[in-house]
Amino acid sequence: MADDEKTLVEILEEHTPIDISKYINYVSAPQAGAIATFFGTTRDTFEGKQVVELRYEAYVPMAIKCMRSICSSARSTWNLHSVSVAHRLGPVPVGETSVFIAVSSVHRADALEACKFVIDEVKASVPIWKKEVYSNGEVWKENSEFLERRLGKDGNDNGVKEVGKVHKHERKSCCGSKVKVKDESSADINPSNGVGERN
């Protein structure tokens, strides 16, 4: 089985919950002694503000391409069996999962390290945008990984340490920097039409 046949990447349409068991079953195999997972869920507060939901938009073809590239990069660094990544678009209420990653390998170290790498790279470089909706307003947010990557590329030392195997991937983003529109006024600027497609 080719490497790309052991990788499942999907961007889910609005109001489509992530079927966790589908992605875990995809990476399960008799030879896989470890499966590492990451659930990204909407929490109810941020810096003292009550969060109602998160809303995600994406440039879907590029997001899928970037996530496949990230999975390929992880596979070239760690000894992995299978990788699956799913990300929702549209509203994701408090307590629901917006992103899910499952990685299987013979040994746990490879699965754990690769899983962390994949979510960090997704947050730093994939063209998926997040809006936090509060009880008293809303704002587009930049992920901290994206901000750290941008500062690092500008040559400013922001105190982020690069260690271990991940070091060689830190500067190799599949998609360059994510473009972020600052929410300076009450008008929203949509980075895409938010249309999801399943791959």
Side-chain angles (χ1 to χ4, degrees), residues 134-192:
Y134 308 114
S135 55
N136 62 350
E138 56 190 34
V139 65
W140 288 102
K141 299 295 294 262
E142 291 177 324
N143 293 316
S144 60
E145 295 84 356
F146 167 71
L147 293 171
E148 290 167 1
R149 176 77 51 84
R150 187 178 67 195
L151 288 175
K153 283 189 174 182
D154 290 343
N156 298 328
D157 181 2
N158 58 2
V160 177
K161 296 187 191 285
E162 300 176 53
V163 295
K165 293 179 180 178
V166 177
H167 175 77
K168 71 180 183 180
H169 295 289
E170 287 294 308
R171 300 293 180 235
K172 285 175 54 179
S173 173
C174 68
C175 307
S177 294
K178 288 165 74 170
V179 175
K180 173 65 179 88
V181 178
K182 297 272 187 203
D183 191 18
E184 301 287 335
S185 67
S186 59
D188 287 333
I189 299 173
N190 290 331
S192 75

Side-chain angles (χ1 to χ4, degrees), residues 3-11 19 22-27 64 67-68 71 75 82-87 100-102 198-199:
D3 284 349
D4 59 348
E5 293 179 305
K6 298 185 215 172
T7 301
L8 175 63
V9 171
E10 293 185 324
I11 303 273
D19 180 357
K22 171 186 175 179
Y23 301 99
I24 291 175
N25 289 338
Y26 181 84
V27 302
I64 289 171
M67 289 193 294
R68 286 187 187 281
C71 293
R75 191 178 295 287
S82 301
V83 181
S84 61
V85 181
H87 205 300
F100 180 75
I101 295 165
R198 200 168 274 172
N199 183 8

Side-chain angles (χ1 to χ4, degrees), residues 54-58 87-92 98 128-130:
L54 300 178
R55 291 186 194 147
Y56 291 93
E57 294 186 9
H87 205 300
R88 286 176 65 176
L89 295 182
V92 182
S98 57
I128 298 174
W129 297 273
K130 175 176 71 176

Side-chain angles (χ1 to χ4, degrees), residues 52-104:
V52 175
E53 67 184 12
L54 300 178
R55 291 186 194 147
Y56 291 93
E57 294 186 9
Y59 175 38
V60 175
M62 185 59 75
I64 289 171
K65 180 179 177 184
C66 285
M67 289 193 294
R68 286 187 187 281
S69 177
I70 290 166
C71 293
S72 176
S73 186
R75 191 178 295 287
S76 72
T77 303
W78 294 279
N79 185 15
L80 305 180
H81 180 271
S82 301
V83 181
S84 61
V85 181
H87 205 300
R88 286 176 65 176
L89 295 182
V92 182
V94 169
E96 292 190 17
T97 301
S98 57
V99 60
F100 180 75
I101 295 165
V103 179
S104 64

Side-chain angles (χ1 to χ4, degrees), residues 26-59:
Y26 181 84
V27 302
S28 296
Q31 63 270 42
I35 296 175
T37 61
F38 174 82
F39 296 73
T41 58
T42 303
R43 63 181 181 270
D44 64 356
T45 56
F46 179 77
E47 295 182 351
K49 293 180 271 193
Q50 182 181 356
V51 176
V52 175
E53 67 184 12
L54 300 178
R55 291 186 194 147
Y56 291 93
E57 294 186 9
Y59 175 38

